[in-house]
Amino acid sequence: MLKQEINDLLTQTGPGTPMGDMFRQYWIPALLAEELPENDCPPVRVKLLSERLIAFRDSDGRYGLMDEFCAHRGVSLWFGRNEESGLRCSYHGWKYDVNGQCVEIPSEPDERHSSLCSKIKLKSYPMVKIGDVLWTYMGDPATTPDLPQWEFARVPAEQSFTSKRWQECNWLQALEGGIDSSHVSWLHSDGLKNDPLFKGAKGNKYNLADMKPFFEVVESEGGLFIGVRRNAEEGHYYWRITPWVMPSFTMIPPRGDHPIHGHFWIPIDDENCWVFTYDYHPVRPLSESEVQHMKDGHGVHNEFVPGTYRPLQNKDNDYLMDRAAQKRGDTYSGIKGISMQDASLQESMGPIVDRAKERLVSTDSGIIMARRKLWRAVEALRDEGVTPPGVDVRHQEVRSAAIVLPKDQSFIEGCAEVLRVRPGEKHASV
Ligand code: FES
Ligand SMILES: [Fe+2]
């Protein structure tokens, strides 16, 4: 359980909050690159860390992310004209470049024009494309970290696929689902048997046979390695190891030769988050059928309300609950699809769960340690200006693993090599 004030500290990410300051230390996913597909395409509204912003791509292919509202009289620049290397407000024609600098006020007389323009600049943040994602850094420009090195975003394009969805709850309870691997044996039991992006792996049978997993959590430089042990053949354990890198990157342990997947949980505001979901294979292109399955919402992806990033199954339609399928055992909860199984339950906790009321047990040890690590890092940043774990790009070079080890070997010894990115080498998976 967590005191209310600690819950507030960890869940609030708006400007000026301690956790908000911490999120602003990192490059975070802002949009998918597909949202700004070509030069001078329509601008996109995006809310991040409770700030309302506008994203656009100018005539020269440069990306801009800046305050959504015009400096003149506050009109949304979403209505603007994206033309001739800038975004022009539709009300009186003021124009801004990708840095938020005002470059034209057409109504002003020539003699005052340039001095007035030079004084007007919207708040703006850098935005860069790496992989399928547009990343932004919303902190102090003086401490801009190196660009992200996550393997999923750095492998050749044909080896990676990323989607994003809107989740209607606070980022932390969504993240906590990502490091709680004990729920897989129940909530996702159907997926292990049927999902085209999971089924067939030898490890699945250990998952389904041992319903009392043992957790061992080890600190890493950037966050945690959450090891979960289940019985395997005589004298052996099946280990699934989930890295969490601060503040909100997780990677699910792989299954067989299927691609590896995971999530970034990014606050929109305190009651909503973006879930960026990636899938990649370190050494081979994704097959056409794998990509099609991802687009169709299998694996950890989902289907969408057409033209939006809102899941087709959402709280307004009770996630298309199918009680008959639940009774028959086709699905454990009656909800179809891994990501919607997770989202439905996490959203059901309310927009910000009251952690003073929980009763944590041994399988929650990953969650307990992650909260403690976040809390410590937030205080160290706030009180002493200490850069938090995960900013250093070396902390980002991690992989998940699924592996069978002799009973007397600790996972951290047995996996020291395979939990690191090894370019050109396959991930450890059974
Ligand atoms: S409000 Fe934008 S130009 Fe007047
Ligand atoms: Fe899950």
Side-chain angles (χ1 to χ4, degrees):
M1 88 172 228
L2 272 192
K3 284 199 210 124
Q4 185 62 41
E5 73 224 50
I6 307 300
N7 205 26
D8 291 347
L9 184 81
L10 298 183
T11 54
Q12 295 174 357
T13 59
T17 60
M19 181 57 93
D21 288 345
M22 196 166 89
F23 261 98
R24 287 166 176 79
Q25 301 286 306
Y26 300 89
W27 284 97
I28 55 172
L31 298 105
L32 290 178
E34 68 182 23
E35 296 179 74
L36 295 174
E38 59 193 21
N39 297 355
D40 288 335
C41 61
V44 176
R45 284 180 283 229
V46 54
K47 193 175 185 192
L48 291 171
L49 309 180
S50 299
E51 295 185 40
R52 288 184 61 173
L53 305 167
I54 195 90
F56 73 108
R57 177 166 162 181
D58 77 4
S59 317
D60 312 305
R62 296 180 303 169
Y63 293 103
L65 181 65
M66 62 194 189
D67 193 346
E68 182 187 336
F69 303 101
C70 180
H72 179 210
R73 280 170 44 214
V75 159
S76 171
L77 293 167
W78 182 78
F79 294 92
R81 304 171 59 89
N82 188 8
E83 58 191 16
E84 293 161 346
S85 303
L87 187 59
R88 191 185 287 283
C89 179
S90 280
Y91 213 2
H92 314 95
W94 291 27
K95 186 175 173 186
Y96 304 90
D97 71 11
V98 288
N99 301 313
Q101 180 63 53
C102 182
V103 290
E104 209 181 318
I105 302 179
S107 58
E108 281 302 290
D110 285 352
E111 58 279 15
R112 290 191 45 199
H113 185 256
S114 66
S115 75
L116 187 58
C117 279
S118 68
K119 290 190 203 108
I120 296 169
K121 188 176 181 309
L122 296 174
K123 176 181 65 187
S124 80
Y125 303 117
M127 192 158 69
V128 297
K129 178 180 180 300
I130 302 175
D132 297 332
V133 174
L134 299 177
W135 305 77
T136 190
Y137 168 72
M138 295 169 64
D140 178 357
T143 53
T144 306
D146 293 338
L147 290 172
Q149 285 298 327
W150 308 104
E151 190 178 27
F152 80 91
R154 293 289 187 178
V155 292
E158 64 277 13
Q159 291 173 217
S160 187
F161 176 89
T162 310
S163 66
K164 86 166 190 184
R165 66 177 164 85
W166 171 29
Q167 182 159 332
E168 297 175 63
C169 72
N170 183 262
W171 77 279
L172 185 59
Q173 73 209 49
L175 163 74
E176 288 176 350
I179 54 179
D180 159 28
S181 105
S182 77
H183 73 274
V184 175
S185 306
W186 286 272
L187 181 62
H188 304 317
S189 48
D190 63 305
L192 298 187
K193 294 177 211 146
N194 305 322
D195 192 289
L197 294 166
F198 291 145
K199 68 180 184 187
K202 187 176 172 209
N204 297 357
K205 84 170 192 257
Y206 306 125
N207 246 111
L208 293 168
D210 184 353
M211 304 296 265
K212 296 203 184 301
F214 177 82
F215 271 61
E216 189 178 331
V217 187
V218 174
E219 287 216 46
S220 66
E221 284 181 301
L224 298 174
F225 287 122
I226 298 143
V228 180
R229 190 183 89 187
R230 291 179 173 85
N231 291 320
E233 283 77 16
E234 188 61 35
H236 290 78
Y237 288 128
Y238 169 61
W239 284 92
R240 294 181 60 75
I241 299 136
T242 303
W244 164 64
V245 181
M246 282 186 44
S248 65
F249 170 88
T250 59
M251 192 184 294
I252 299 164
R255 297 189 182 277
D257 190 47
H258 292 301
I260 328 180
H261 33 246
H263 307 284
F264 254 111
W265 323 85
I266 301 299
I268 295 173
D269 54 29
D270 295 345
E271 300 193 346
N272 296 275
C273 61
W274 290 123
V275 185
F276 286 83
T277 301
Y278 59 85
D279 239 300
Y280 76 103
H281 199 291
V283 298
R284 66 161 171 85
L286 304 181
S287 71
E288 254 174 61
S289 74
E290 283 171 338
V291 172
Q292 196 55 50
H293 288 317
M294 292 166 196
K295 288 183 177 163
D296 291 343
H298 291 293
V300 286
H301 302 274
N302 59 280
E303 295 174 273
F304 294 95
V305 175
T308 75
Y309 291 100
R310 190 178 199 207
L312 190 61
Q313 300 160 259
N314 57 57
K315 68 179 184 188
D316 292 343
N317 57 26
D318 277 332
Y319 310 91
L320 307 177
M321 161 65 84
D322 183 344
R323 290 285 176 197
Q326 185 184 41
K327 194 157 239 162
R328 281 195 305 273
D330 297 353
T331 54
Y332 192 75
S333 73
I335 306 296
K336 194 182 90 179
I338 307 264
S339 63
M340 287 302 108
Q341 288 164 358
D342 285 327
S344 57
L345 302 191
Q346 291 157 11
E347 291 179 2
S348 79
M349 298 154 97
I352 305 177
V353 68
D354 180 356
R355 291 181 173 78
K357 289 189 181 150
E358 355 167 272
R359 302 268 204 293
L360 301 182
V361 294
S362 55
T363 54
D364 296 311
S365 54
I367 291 172
I368 294 167
M369 283 181 69
R371 290 178 189 173
R372 208 175 287 151
K373 191 146 181 154
L374 283 168
W375 178 9
R376 275 204 310 262
V378 166
E379 291 192 329
L381 174 68
R382 182 191 62 195
D383 301 339
E384 294 151 57
V386 177
T387 300
V391 172
D392 185 331
V393 292
R394 286 171 307 173
H395 300 173
Q396 300 167 5
E397 292 170 1
V398 293
R399 281 186 186 169
S400 59
I403 195 167
V404 174
L405 294 174
K407 278 195 168 171
D408 58 4
Q409 194 168 18
S410 82
F411 88 80
I412 208 71
E413 270 172 34
C415 296
E417 277 304 299
V418 300
L419 292 173
R420 269 191 259 284
V421 169
R422 295 164 302 144
E425 284 192 59
K426 208 172 130 9
H427 48 297
S429 182
V430 285

